[in-house]
Amino acid sequence: MQCIKIKDKIENLLQRLSSFNTRFVKNKILSQGASNFNISFYQERIKFLEIELKKYVNYSRWWVIIRLSYFCMMIVAAYLLFPYSFLSGIGLLGSFIIFLYLVRKSIENKERLNFIKRLIRINQQEIDASTLDYSSFGAGEKFVDPQHPYSYDMDLFGKRSLFQLLNRTVTIHGEKALANRLLSGIISREESLQTIDELTEKMPWCQNYLAYGGMLEKEETDRSIKEILEHKYEAKSWMNWLQYVFPIFALSLSLIYYFDIINGFLFLLGAVGVLFPIQRLLKITNPIHQTMGHIEKRLKAMQHQLTIIEEESWSSNQMKAYYSIFFEENENAKKGLTELAKLAKEALYRDNVLVAVVLNFFLAWDIRLLWRFSVWKNRYQEHIAEWEKILFELEALISGATFRYNFKSVTSIPVLTEDGMIDIQGLGHPIIPIQKLITNDFQLSSDVNFTIITGPNMAGKSTFLRSIGINLILAKSGFHVFAKKFCFPDLKLYSSMRSSDDLKEETSYFHAELLRLRFIVDAIERGEKVFIILDEILKGTNSKDKEEGSAKFLKKLNQLGAKGIIATHDLSLTQLAENYSQIVNNYFDTHIEGEEISFDYKMRPGVAQNMNASFLLRKMGLVEE
């Protein structure tokens, strides 16, 4: 019970300190104008957009007045022209066409208004982010996986995670594209960095791309145009013939009935002959029409995105390749999506039952649509997945470009090499505010496998380990890193920094940690080239056993040729450096003067000499002098 009280007291004190530091840093950033962000760009964008917003709000009011006035004029004109039946019909038809045009222009104005609102929100979110408020961006909790080689230890997902810091995606699939980069890395890293550098110079374009992609609510963006491919039915050749024959027959039937050549019964019989085959196809056509209705908004967003891609000039190899796929190939995205959008719009026309009957009778609407859809599907189905993948991937690239733009002064292009040399300068953790950030340099020659890092509590060991891991993740994901220089071996990252017991699986803390270490060794024995980050391993056993077990495990890793870093409080572990040239020691220090304690968070070569657990316990009143 006494131990629980002491633990609670420590946690409460640390929470108060953390809360104070957060408020202090946030206020300091606000007072300094968010020096880590180019906040003036976002502020100026909002000023400009708010002027545009007022303009289109005024337009909206005028369109309402114009539409209402014109509708009243239509009624008056219809009344005045009623005695002249021919003129009345022509006048009403012309007036109705003009009225539809006014409705369309009003809708376009509303869409522009909503687009500007989305742009304002995007810029406001960046201003909020400059004050450490990332709550507007998805934290990716659904991607948390304790069994992943590194993501759980590196706090890759969750509140105030790297994912939330980077995430500027506006669709669920774009979010997945970003998460997959961070979880698995990419092959074309140089091309990705080149593209991100280009996008960094086109931030207004990036915002427009995201604003168009955000036309739908985030939950609705889980839909994909690939859904249309789930319909396996292929149109028959006779449908192509019927889509022309039925309209001619229906029109002829109507004319001979109008001129009293046939009676109503024969007309009805002929109408049934036209509509019956169409009715028999409803089980096929209805699902297709419904799917087209579902993806209509998504299609519209994609078309807007393609338009601004086409209008922009590109210099990076990756964007040139995307441009070719979208606009220059024979079966390109622009043509394919334009045709599909027309089909989707035509599918909406027959949502009304009466309209559907008229359209199917006079134009064989469903047969015509089914035939055209089948032709479209055969032509473009092999390309849809690639088009969507690129458009979603661009959201991940824009996330990287925004990160680069906001932190350009403290980020750089990483270099991943085939040799084992590590050369890092100005390394920092991107989650830590610039005003608090203490950077470190870190060098290891190619013939050194492991670094043992010692130091007192709260001196910065774990933060340094995560800084290494996070920046390696960024580098392998094709993003810029939070360092002045980052030259690192191109290795797979594995880590063991936190483990937990599992009552459901009857797994103890110690057993869970052993399973994690076994997981890492299995990867090495499979022949994977890995970089390992370990933080205070074997915590679940007694001190002597922990000391011996850690030493033996580190020896095994060294024999296997693995490369990595381990942080520990066991100073005896540092003696391995005396016997193995492939192991070196580094440490973080603390400075205690009287009743004051301070940290400089700088790593030095050698072994830690000062520890502070007793001092902190005494300082908190948990032990006597």
Side-chain angles (χ1 to χ4, degrees):
M1 184 63 69
Q2 184 66 24
C3 290
I4 293 174
K5 289 181 179 179
I6 292 173
K7 181 181 177 183
D8 290 343
K9 189 171 181 180
I10 293 173
E11 287 180 350
N12 289 335
L13 180 58
L14 291 175
Q15 286 175 358
R16 290 198 299 272
L17 287 171
S18 176
S19 176
F20 170 77
N21 286 337
T22 300
R23 291 196 305 272
F24 172 76
V25 171
K26 189 169 182 177
N27 291 334
K28 186 174 181 181
I29 290 173
L30 285 168
S31 66
Q32 293 183 359
S35 60
N36 55 320
F37 273 53
N38 186 3
I39 196 170
S40 61
F41 167 77
Y42 301 115
Q43 291 171 335
E44 291 300 319
R45 284 278 287 169
I46 287 180
K47 287 179 183 178
F48 168 76
L49 291 167
E50 284 177 342
I51 294 172
E52 289 289 294
L53 184 67
K54 290 178 182 178
K55 182 173 71 175
Y56 282 96
V57 167
N58 288 332
Y59 287 169
S60 295
R61 293 170 183 157
W62 277 109
W63 279 118
V64 171
I65 295 171
I66 292 170
R67 284 167 55 189
L68 183 60
S69 301
Y70 191 81
F71 185 75
C72 294
M73 290 170 58
M74 284 175 60
I75 295 174
V76 173
Y79 175 76
L80 295 174
L81 294 173
F82 183 73
Y84 312 98
S85 57
F86 179 76
L87 290 176
S88 177
I90 297 296
L92 282 175
L93 180 61
S95 299
F96 185 68
I97 292 172
I98 295 173
F99 181 74
L100 289 179
Y101 172 77
L102 295 176
V103 170
R104 180 183 173 186
K105 297 301 290 184
S106 179
I107 291 172
E108 289 176 356
N109 185 80
K110 184 178 179 181
E111 289 177 349
R112 184 65 184 178
L113 188 64
N114 291 331
F115 175 75
I116 293 170
K117 287 179 180 178
R118 290 193 294 272
L119 284 175
I120 291 174
R121 185 168 65 247
I122 287 171
N123 284 276
Q124 186 58 55
Q125 287 172 343
E126 294 301 330
I127 292 174
D128 293 341
S130 72
T131 64
L132 309 182
D133 179 6
Y134 295 98
S135 58
S136 299
F137 309 115
E141 289 94 343
K142 61 186 174 184
F143 301 112
V144 173
D145 179 12
Q147 305 307 315
H148 188 267
Y150 55 78
S151 68
Y152 189 62
D153 289 332
M154 296 297 140
D155 298 319
L156 207 54
F157 304 105
K159 292 183 178 179
R160 290 192 58 76
S161 63
L162 177 67
F163 181 85
Q164 191 173 40
L165 176 71
L166 286 170
N167 186 18
R168 298 299 185 271
T169 63
V170 291
T171 65
I172 290 175
H173 292 283
E175 200 172 58
K176 289 178 182 177
L178 176 60
N180 288 337
R181 273 180 171 249
L182 297 175
L183 290 170
S184 305
I186 62 170
I187 297 174
S188 55
R189 293 187 288 262
E190 291 184 7
E191 289 184 355
S192 175
L193 289 164
Q194 184 186 36
T195 303
I196 287 173
D197 278 335
E198 182 173 25
L199 291 173
T200 302
E201 303 300 321
K202 302 176 184 289
M203 289 310 297
W205 182 93
C206 292
Q207 292 186 354
N208 289 343
Y209 186 90
L210 296 179
Y212 282 126
M215 289 174 63
L216 286 76
E217 294 297 325
K218 192 73 172 273
E219 294 73 20
E220 297 178 310
T221 61
D222 196 27
R223 290 196 175 279
S224 164
I225 62 171
K226 287 188 294 184
E227 290 179 32
I228 204 73
L229 300 179
E230 295 173 4
H231 303 286
K232 304 297 183 183
Y233 183 81
E234 294 290 335
K236 309 300 182 184
S237 58
W238 53 265
M239 290 183 180
N240 187 32
W241 177 71
L242 283 182
Q243 70 171 321
Y244 299 108
V245 172
F246 273 5
I248 295 172
F249 177 77
L251 182 60
S252 302
L253 187 68
S254 300
L255 287 173
I256 60 177
Y257 172 71
Y258 179 79
F259 289 110
D260 291 328
I261 298 174
I262 61 172
N263 59 29
F265 176 75
L266 291 176
F267 173 79
L268 183 61
L269 194 64
V272 170
V274 172
L275 294 174
F276 181 74
I278 295 173
Q279 187 274 334
R280 297 291 293 173
L281 291 171
L282 287 179
K283 288 184 179 180
I284 300 168
T285 56
N286 277 344
I288 294 174
H289 282 80
Q290 289 171 2
T291 303
M292 286 188 176
H294 291 156
I295 65 172
E296 195 260 344
K297 286 185 179 179
R298 176 65 195 143
L299 271 171
K300 200 169 191 177
M302 292 171 69
Q303 284 183 290
H304 283 305
Q305 290 176 325
L306 285 178
T307 298
I308 64 172
I309 292 173
E310 186 177 23
E311 291 173 349
E312 191 69 34
S313 59
W314 303 101
S315 59
S316 63
N317 294 333
Q318 193 169 30
M319 289 306 299
K320 285 180 178 179
Y322 290 166
Y323 188 94
S324 177
I325 292 169
F326 286 149
F327 308 109
E328 295 176 347
E329 294 185 355
N330 290 332
E331 314 301 338
N332 64 67
K334 182 180 179 180
K335 288 194 298 185
L337 295 182
T338 299
E339 291 176 20
L340 184 59
K342 288 179 181 178
L343 290 174
K345 188 176 291 185
E346 290 176 8
L348 294 177
Y349 293 158
R350 49 90 79 185
D351 283 350
N352 183 287
V353 176
L354 292 177
V355 174
V357 171
V358 173
L359 289 173
N360 276 307
F361 179 65
F362 285 105
L363 297 172
W365 199 257
D366 280 9
I367 291 178
R368 176 172 168 271
L369 209 58
L370 187 58
W371 174 260
R372 290 175 61 200
F373 165 69
S374 182
V375 171
W376 181 91
K377 182 180 174 184
N378 290 334
R379 186 176 181 185
Y380 294 108
Q381 63 181 339
E382 295 180 0
H383 307 285
I384 293 176
E386 183 181 27
W387 299 342
E388 285 200 291
K389 181 181 178 182
I390 293 172
L391 291 174
F392 295 136
E393 194 66 34
L394 275 171
E395 292 184 38
L397 287 165
I398 289 172
S399 296
T402 306
F403 173 71
R404 171 65 164 166
Y405 184 81
N406 289 339
F407 297 101
K408 196 163 188 177
S409 63
V410 288
T411 55
S412 64
I413 294 175
V415 177
L416 296 180
T417 65
E418 294 301 321
D419 60 37
M421 186 185 72
I422 296 175
D423 185 6
I424 301 175
Q425 297 175 17
L427 178 74
H429 197 301
I431 299 299
I432 299 175
I434 299 296
Q435 289 74 14
K436 285 184 65 176
L437 184 66
I438 304 295
T439 63
N440 273 284
D441 298 342
F442 180 49
Q443 286 82 30
L444 276 186
S445 61
S446 57
D447 58 349
V448 174
N449 290 337
F450 255 89
T451 300
I452 300 173
I453 300 178
T454 53
N457 297 291
M458 302 163 59
K461 300 188 301 297
S462 296
T463 299
F464 177 76
L465 263 57
R466 286 193 171 91
S467 297
I468 292 286
I470 285 292
N471 282 283
L472 181 55
I473 293 167
L474 286 170
K476 292 183 75 66
S477 301
F479 295 135
H480 293 76
V481 293
F482 217 71
K484 292 181 179 179
K485 181 181 181 181
F486 192 85
C487 182
F488 208 89
D490 189 3
L491 303 173
K492 292 184 178 180
L493 177 62
Y494 279 79
S495 65
S496 178
M497 297 185 69
R498 57 162 68 101
S499 300
S500 60
D501 55 358
D502 191 332
L503 296 178
K504 293 180 181 178
E505 299 294 333
E506 297 182 353
T507 303
S508 69
Y509 183 94
F510 183 63
H511 186 226
E513 191 173 11
L514 290 180
L515 290 175
R516 185 68 180 181
L517 297 179
R518 179 71 257 176
F519 174 65
I520 294 172
V521 172
D522 285 345
I524 300 171
E525 292 178 343
R526 285 195 304 268
E528 294 185 23
K529 295 181 179 180
V530 305
F531 186 84
I532 305 168
I533 295 179
L534 306 173
D535 191 7
E536 207 63 55
I537 60 172
L538 305 182
K539 295 182 284 289
T541 187
N542 66 69
S543 298
K544 185 64 177 176
D545 201 24
K546 173 179 179 293
E547 177 184 317
E548 293 177 357
S550 297
K552 289 178 180 178
F553 184 68
L554 193 55
K555 288 178 185 178
K556 179 177 178 63
L557 292 178
N558 186 51
Q559 290 170 357
L560 291 171
K563 205 172 187 73
I565 304 175
I566 180 171
T568 182
H569 286 95
D570 294 332
L571 298 183
S572 61
L573 203 60
T574 62
Q575 295 174 6
L576 290 172
E578 299 175 6
N579 301 318
Y580 297 93
S581 61
Q582 300 92 347
I583 299 175
V584 298
N585 292 318
N586 285 281
Y587 74 100
F588 286 87
D589 208 353
T590 183
H591 302 282
I592 301 175
E593 295 183 9
E595 293 300 309
E596 298 298 324
I597 185 171
S598 62
F599 307 93
D600 61 13
Y601 304 109
K602 284 290 188 180
M603 191 173 68
R604 301 170 174 82
V607 180
Q609 302 299 320
N610 298 321
M611 295 297 173
N612 59 15
S614 298
F615 175 86
L616 291 173
L617 288 169
R618 180 166 51 81
K619 189 73 173 175
M620 292 181 180
L622 299 173
V623 297
E624 299 296 330
E625 293 282 344

